[in-house]
Amino acid sequence: MGNLDMSSREALLKGGNIGSAIVPGKPEESLLIQAVNHSHDRLKMPLGQPKLSDRQIEDLQDWIKAGAAWPESPVAAKGKPFVITPEQRNFWAFQPVRKRTPPATRNKGWAKSPIDQFLLAAMEGKGVTPGRPASRRTLIRRAYYDLIGLPPTATGIDAFVNDRSPAAFANLVDRLLQSPQYGERWGRYWLDIARYSDDRLESEVDAPYANAFRYRDWVIQAFNSDMPYNQFLKAQVAGDQLGDNAKYAAGLGFYALRPDTQDDRVDVTGRAFLGLTTGCAQCHNHKFDPIPATDYYALLGIFTSSEDSQLPLAPEAVVKDWQDREKKVLEKQAEIRDFLHSQATLLAGMFAHETARYSRAARRVVVQHEGVVAVASAERLDPETLQRWIKYLANPQKDHAFLKGWRDASFDDEKFQEVVLGVLKERKTVDDENAVRKALAKSKGNKASTDLVSLKTESFYLWRDLFFNDFYGNRFKQEDDGILYYGPNRGFYETDGTVERFLQGEFKAYLNRAREELSALKANLPPQYPFLHTIKDSAKLRVERVRVGGSDDNPGEEVPRRFLTVLSDGAPFVKGSGRLELAEAVASATNPLTARVMVNRIWAYHFGQGIVATPSDFGFMGARPTHPELLDYLAAKFVENGWSLKALHREIMLTAAYQLDSQTVSGNEEVDPGNRLLWRANTRRLDAEALRDSLLKVSGELDLEAGGPPVQVSSSSNRRRTVYAFVSRRKLDGTLALFDFPNPNLTSEKRSVTITPPQQLFLLNGEFAMDRAQRLAANSKSDSAAETIQKLYRSVFGRAPSAQEIRLASTFVDGNSERWALYAQALLNSNEFLFIP
C-alpha cells in the first residue's frame, strides 16, 4: 500500500511513498530502523505485533551501518544456463549403483552373511572388535518391536528360547513378516515421510478429510502384501495411470492429502523418493547440489498440470444423487450468507452516516463519564454500536491521525464523518478500478502481474477499523471485524453474524423461510458416499516459468515438464501432465538414488542410524555413507529381489551384526564412540506408537481390528493400535507430541528421541498409564502374592522374577491389595519395559 519494494537494495534505496527505507551507513536516519524500533510517528512494524527482538534490530542496524550490502541473486542470468560440472556429476550419490563383492576379512568365523563381511572389514580396518551376540530373550524382543511394534508374549519367548534349531530365528522373522501387524508398523514409518494427516491445516477451525484413512490403509496393505517398492512409488505419483485403479489409485493420497496452505509437492518428491532437497531450488539455483531453478519449475509444472480429485467407491447413480442434493444445500447456504452480508454492508453504510452522533455520544461516556444506557437512550442510538464506538475511541493508539484530539470538545465530529464517508467512496472507486484491471489482465492472460491500486495508507487503516470483514476470504480470520460490521465472515461460515437483529418485516420473513428450506435440504442429504482422495491431469496443462527470486511477479524463462537434469537426459515429458513419466524415472532401476535411499531408510530403522546419517539428503550437504560399498550391495540386491522390502528385512535381520548385544567392548568406545561401525547394538526407547500399544497389550486391552476411520487418541474408549489414531495437522495430540511423534506438516526422515520430565510425569501420573496399570494388576491378581508377582513379570517383561525381585515386591505390597496397581505402574516405568536393548 505504501509502494515499498523490499526485493533489492536499489528498491530499498528508492523507497516508497514517504521516502527511502534505508540510508547506508546511517541506521538512525533509516525509516526501516525507525519502523522496527517503533520510534516513528506512524510506522510501527511488524503491524499489530510486538517489536522484533533487540538482537534482530541490532542485526539490521549493523547491516545498514556497514553499507547495506546485498548479494547478487543466485538465479542464473538470462543467456547463461546452469552447467553441471564434472565434479558434481562424479559425486558418489549420482554414480550408478554397482553390485559389490564382499571383502575378505581376517576373522573367518564371525560373519553370517555378505553384509557382515562389509561391516567386519570396516571394523578390522579401524582395529575394532564386534561385541558378543545378544541373548535369545533380547533378540526376540528386538525382532518383535522392529517388525510389528509390539512385545512378544511370555509363551512366545519361552518357545523361542527353547528352540535350538539353526533356523529358529529365521523362522521367527518369517512369521513376523507375515503378520498383519507388520504393515501397521512399517506403513506408519512411510506415513511419516508422506506427512500423512487426517485433516487439513486450518488455524481456527477443524477441517477433517472425509476419507484420508483410505490412503493410510492402502499403505499398510501395500507393506503387508510386499508390493514391489518401485510399483509402490509409481502408484503414489501416477496410480490413476497404471491400469488398475482398485489396486493403485489410493496411493495418490500421497499428494492429494498434502498441507493445503503450502505447495510442497516438488520438495516432498525429492526428499521422500530421491533423498534430495529439491525444494531449495525454488527461489534460486540450489546452492550446493546440481539442481538449477529450472529443474524445480520443470517438476512444478507436472503438479500444476494436475489437480485434486476424488475417485468414488460407489455406483455412479448414488454419486450423482448425492452431489445433486449437496449442490442444493450449498446454493441455499450461499443465498443466506450473501443476503446477510449484503444487509450488513448496507447497515454499516447507514451507521457511517451517523458517525458524528456516535462520536459525540462516545465522548460523553469516555470523557464526561455519563452512563452508556442513558446516553444511548437520550440520543436514540443503538446501544451495542455505541459500545463498540466507545471501546474503539477510548484507545488513543491508532494507525491513522484522523482522530487526533478526539477527547477535546473542539474536535470537529462533522468533519470526521465526512472523512469516514469519503473513505467509503474511495474504497468503492478502488474496488471498481481493480475489477476493471483484473478483467483486462485476465483477457490478456497476464493475471499474475496485474498492477492493482489501493487505498491511501491512512484511509485503509480507517476503513479497516470501521468496515473490514473477512467474508470473501478463506476459512480463518486474520483481522478483527470493523466496528460497524455486523454480518457473517469467513471465520464463521456456519453462523449468521448478528445483523439479523436489525431485520424486520419481509426481510426477516425471507430469512426465516430460507433457513427452514436449508434445514429441510440438509435433512434430505444422506451421508456422503466413500471415495479416494486422488489427483488427476488437468484439462489445461501448464508450462511453468522460472519465478525469479521465487516471486510470482517476476517470471523468467519457460521450462518444459521433465525430470532432474543430473539424473536424466533432460528430455521433456510428453504424456499428459508428465506424472507417469516422472513415476517411471523415479522408480527406474537405473536411477542411482531411489534404491539407495530406501534401503538406507530400512537400515536406519533396524540399527538406529543409517549408513547415510541424513536419510532424506544424499546431496553435498548430507552425510557421507559410512559403508558405501555395503550401501551399493544392498541397493543392487534390493532391485535383484524384485524391490521386495520383506526380503530386505530378512537379509538385514539374519546378520550377525543385527543380532549383537548392546553392551560395550573394551577399547572400541575410544576408536568409535558413536558406534558408526556397528560393533554393538544401539539401545532405543519405544516410540510413541510402540509405547502406547505395548501398554494396552500387556494390560490385555489391545484391539487389533485393522483399518477404517481414525479414532482420537484421547478417547477413553480407544483401545486400537496407535497407527489408527486421528493425526491432526492443526493440533497434534498431546500424548503423541510428548513422545516425539513427527510433525505431519513436514516430511519426517527419522524420529527424534527426547527424554523429558513430562514424559515421566505422563507415565507416573497420567490417567492413561494409571488405568493400564490398574487393569494389569487386576488381570494378574492371584491367590498368593508370589503368583501375582509371577504373572506381572511375565506380562510386562516376558520372564519370571528373580528371588530378590519377589522379595522387593512382597515388601512393597505388604498385604495391602491396593498397592498392586502402584507396583504394576512401577514395572511399566522401568527401563526394561521402555527400552529395546
Side-chain angles (χ1 to χ4, degrees):
M1 289 180 296
N3 291 318
L4 174 62
D5 178 2
M6 301 183 69
S7 63
S8 69
R9 186 176 190 272
E10 292 72 22
L12 285 169
L13 290 171
K14 179 182 177 182
N17 293 343
I18 58 175
S20 175
I22 60 172
V23 181
K26 299 180 179 179
E28 68 281 354
E29 297 180 18
S30 300
L31 284 174
L32 174 63
I33 298 303
Q34 295 173 24
V36 297
N37 260 329
H38 289 193
S39 60
H40 192 274
D41 290 342
R42 292 184 290 108
L43 298 177
K44 293 177 174 58
M45 295 294 166
L47 182 62
Q49 299 180 40
K51 288 171 58 176
L52 300 180
S53 68
D54 292 342
R55 176 63 183 273
Q56 290 171 324
I57 294 174
E58 288 173 8
D59 287 343
L60 287 172
Q61 289 173 330
D62 291 344
W63 170 63
I64 293 174
K65 190 174 183 178
W70 192 282
E72 293 297 320
S73 170
V75 176
K78 194 170 184 179
K80 296 181 180 179
F82 182 92
V83 176
I84 299 175
T85 67
E87 179 186 10
Q88 290 172 322
R89 288 196 178 278
N90 289 331
F91 186 63
W92 75 268
F94 302 129
Q95 296 303 298
V97 172
R98 289 190 292 159
K99 189 172 182 179
R100 305 282 185 165
T101 301
T105 59
R106 293 190 295 273
N107 182 339
K108 304 299 181 183
W110 181 77
K112 293 184 178 182
S113 76
I115 293 175
D116 289 325
Q117 290 178 253
F118 285 105
L119 294 174
L120 183 59
M123 288 187 231
E124 290 179 343
K126 296 291 185 180
V128 168
T129 304
R132 68 188 185 194
S135 70
R136 294 177 74 81
R137 188 176 301 279
T138 294
L139 195 56
I140 185 175
R141 191 164 184 267
R142 184 184 300 167
Y144 262 75
Y145 274 114
D146 270 13
L147 288 181
I148 67 172
L150 293 170
T153 63
T155 302
I157 293 174
D158 291 343
F160 178 69
V161 168
N162 294 325
D163 184 355
R164 293 297 171 179
S165 66
F169 187 62
N171 292 337
L172 171 67
V173 169
D174 288 340
R175 287 197 303 272
L176 293 175
L177 287 172
Q178 293 305 311
S179 165
Q181 283 78 58
Y182 160 76
E184 293 170 341
R185 179 62 161 170
W186 284 86
R188 180 56 254 183
Y189 289 144
W190 182 260
L191 296 176
D192 291 359
I193 297 167
R195 74 270 188 262
Y196 172 80
S197 171
D198 291 295
D199 64 0
R200 298 173 178 84
L201 180 58
E202 300 280 6
S203 66
E204 293 191 5
V205 293
D206 293 326
Y209 286 111
N211 289 267
F213 69 90
R214 299 185 192 279
Y215 171 70
R216 175 249 286 155
D217 290 351
W218 177 85
V219 169
I220 291 172
Q221 183 54 37
F223 274 87
N224 275 333
S225 65
D226 202 19
M227 180 183 290
Y229 179 67
N230 61 338
Q231 201 70 7
F232 178 69
L233 294 190
K234 288 181 183 180
Q236 293 175 89
V237 180
D240 56 328
Q241 301 176 31
L242 298 181
D244 189 346
N245 281 349
K247 188 173 183 179
Y248 299 119
L252 294 168
F254 182 86
Y255 292 116
L257 300 172
R258 67 186 181 278
D260 287 358
T261 57
Q262 63 191 54
D263 191 340
D264 70 340
R265 292 173 292 183
V266 174
D267 186 58
V268 75
T269 300
R271 292 179 188 271
F273 303 152
L274 304 171
L276 291 177
T277 54
T278 50
C280 294
Q282 180 176 3
C283 301
H284 47 70
N285 295 331
H286 200 296
K287 293 185 177 182
F288 307 105
D289 297 337
I291 305 174
T294 49
D295 276 6
Y296 177 90
Y297 290 100
L299 292 176
L300 182 64
I302 297 170
F303 298 113
T304 55
S305 295
S306 307
E307 61 188 51
D308 290 341
S309 184
Q310 296 177 1
L311 183 64
L313 301 176
E316 185 176 347
V318 173
V319 174
K320 185 178 185 307
D321 177 68
W322 189 90
Q323 291 176 342
D324 289 345
R325 297 185 190 208
E326 185 204 29
K327 182 180 178 182
K328 292 178 181 178
V329 170
L330 296 176
E331 287 174 345
K332 185 58 66 173
Q333 286 178 331
E335 176 187 332
I336 294 172
R337 288 196 306 266
D338 289 343
F339 170 74
L340 291 168
H341 179 63
S342 66
Q343 296 302 304
T345 303
L346 179 62
L347 179 66
M350 294 166 59
F351 277 131
H353 283 80
E354 302 291 329
T355 297
R357 295 178 63 216
Y358 278 96
S359 178
R360 283 191 293 267
R363 191 178 300 108
R364 289 173 59 182
V365 175
V366 174
V367 178
Q368 301 173 22
H369 305 293
E370 298 184 36
V372 176
V373 176
V375 172
S377 177
E379 298 295 335
R380 292 182 296 172
L381 300 174
D382 178 62
E384 181 182 351
T385 306
L386 176 58
Q387 188 64 61
R388 291 184 179 194
W389 271 110
I390 290 169
K391 182 179 179 181
Y392 175 65
L393 293 170
N395 182 0
Q397 297 296 324
K398 299 286 183 290
D399 295 317
H400 58 78
F402 297 125
L403 287 165
K404 189 174 183 180
W406 172 80
R407 289 174 177 265
D408 299 336
S410 60
F411 182 81
D412 193 337
D413 298 294
E414 299 294 340
K415 184 177 180 180
F416 177 55
Q417 178 172 304
E418 291 177 9
V419 171
V420 171
L421 295 174
V423 166
L424 267 184
K425 184 177 180 181
E426 184 184 351
R427 174 71 188 201
K428 185 178 186 309
T429 301
V430 166
D431 287 346
D432 291 345
E433 174 66 19
N434 284 336
V436 172
R437 294 188 179 207
K438 288 178 181 178
L440 287 173
K442 184 177 181 181
S443 67
K444 295 178 181 179
N446 196 26
K447 185 177 179 181
S449 59
T450 306
D451 187 13
L452 301 179
V453 296
S454 61
L455 288 169
K456 294 189 292 292
T457 302
E458 282 202 313
S459 296
F460 167 77
Y461 288 135
L462 180 59
W463 176 87
R464 177 199 64 186
D465 293 350
L466 302 186
F467 305 108
F468 176 81
N469 67 86
D470 276 353
F471 182 69
Y472 289 110
N474 293 318
R475 290 195 63 188
F476 61 91
K477 294 184 66 179
Q478 295 177 330
E479 299 274 2
D480 290 332
D481 288 340
I483 63 171
L484 300 182
Y485 182 74
Y486 279 93
N489 55 53
R490 67 180 178 177
F492 303 95
Y493 269 7
E494 288 77 22
T495 67
D496 298 326
T498 54
V499 69
E500 58 205 81
R501 75 176 177 87
F502 296 96
L503 302 180
Q504 301 295 329
E506 284 301 317
F507 292 90
K508 184 67 173 177
Y510 167 82
L511 178 61
N512 290 339
R513 285 195 301 271
R515 284 175 170 165
E516 290 172 0
E517 292 169 3
L518 177 60
S519 296
L521 289 170
K522 285 184 174 180
N524 196 38
L525 181 68
Q528 188 177 8
Y529 53 86
F531 63 87
L532 301 177
H533 293 277
T534 63
I535 59 175
K536 66 179 181 181
D537 284 5
S538 302
K540 185 176 181 180
L541 304 178
R542 290 186 57 172
V543 176
E544 285 290 340
R545 303 176 75 100
V546 172
R547 301 169 196 173
V548 181
S551 172
D552 292 347
D553 296 327
N554 195 8
E557 64 180 292
E558 284 192 346
V559 187
R561 299 180 296 278
R562 56 169 172 74
F563 196 39
L564 295 177
T565 308
V566 73
L567 298 177
S568 69
D569 59 8
F573 291 160
V574 296
K575 300 176 183 177
S577 67
R579 282 188 295 113
L580 181 58
E581 290 158 289
L582 173 63
E584 291 168 343
V586 166
S588 170
T590 61
N591 185 322
L593 288 167
T594 306
R596 281 179 175 140
V597 168
M598 191 55 179
V599 298
N600 186 68
R601 293 192 194 281
I602 302 296
W603 184 274
Y605 283 120
H606 279 306
F607 286 96
Q609 57 187 345
I611 296 173
V612 177
T614 51
S616 292
D617 187 0
F618 276 39
F620 283 78
M621 294 303 290
R624 301 299 183 266
T626 54
H627 302 77
E629 292 82 8
L630 172 58
L631 183 61
D632 269 16
Y633 169 84
L634 290 168
K637 194 73 177 293
F638 184 42
V639 174
E640 280 183 7
N641 286 337
W643 301 80
S644 168
L645 290 171
K646 288 188 176 182
L648 178 61
H649 286 296
R650 194 176 193 277
E651 184 164 11
I652 289 173
M653 295 178 69
L654 296 186
T655 62
Y658 178 83
Q659 299 172 45
L660 286 172
D661 191 82
S662 59
Q663 294 297 313
T664 190
V665 175
S666 178
N668 285 0
E669 289 283 359
E670 289 75 16
V671 178
D672 181 27
N675 191 33
R676 296 294 287 154
L677 297 175
L678 298 177
W679 46 270
R680 61 173 173 81
N682 290 306
T683 300
R684 288 170 284 160
R685 193 201 69 196
L686 297 182
D687 57 28
E689 300 97 316
L691 173 59
R692 180 179 175 277
D693 294 351
S694 295
L695 288 169
L696 290 169
K697 178 76 183 304
V698 300
S699 66
E701 300 172 273
L702 184 64
D703 179 358
L704 291 177
E705 178 187 0
V711 183
Q712 294 290 344
V713 177
S714 58
S715 172
S716 60
S717 61
N718 183 8
R719 300 292 182 268
R720 300 190 65 196
R721 292 203 71 179
T722 312
V723 70
Y724 299 117
F726 189 95
V727 177
S728 174
R729 285 197 172 99
R730 176 172 174 258
K731 187 178 181 181
L732 186 62
D733 176 82
T735 300
L736 295 180
L738 182 63
F739 288 95
D740 307 313
F741 190 86
N743 180 353
N745 293 303
L746 304 170
T747 181
S748 300
E749 61 180 30
K750 55 187 176 182
R751 297 292 181 94
S752 299
V753 180
T754 63
I755 298 178
T756 65
Q759 294 170 354
Q760 296 306 309
L761 291 173
F762 171 86
L763 292 168
L764 287 170
N765 304 321
E767 183 178 351
F768 180 83
M770 294 172 70
D771 287 348
R772 305 292 76 74
Q774 289 174 357
R775 178 61 67 91
L776 172 62
N779 292 345
S780 304
K781 193 67 182 298
S782 298
D783 293 336
S784 70
E787 288 181 3
T788 301
I789 297 167
Q790 288 279 351
K791 286 185 177 181
L792 283 171
Y793 268 77
R794 286 184 64 79
S795 295
V796 178
F797 303 133
R799 65 173 176 84
S802 66
Q804 182 183 9
E805 287 169 332
I806 293 175
R807 285 195 301 273
L808 285 171
S810 300
T811 302
F812 175 79
V813 175
D814 193 25
N816 186 347
S817 61
E818 293 182 359
R819 286 196 165 192
W820 283 117
L822 293 175
Y823 186 71
Q825 192 172 4
L827 298 183
L828 296 177
N829 274 267
S830 66
N831 283 355
E832 186 175 351
F833 179 74
L834 297 174
F835 287 83
I836 309 168

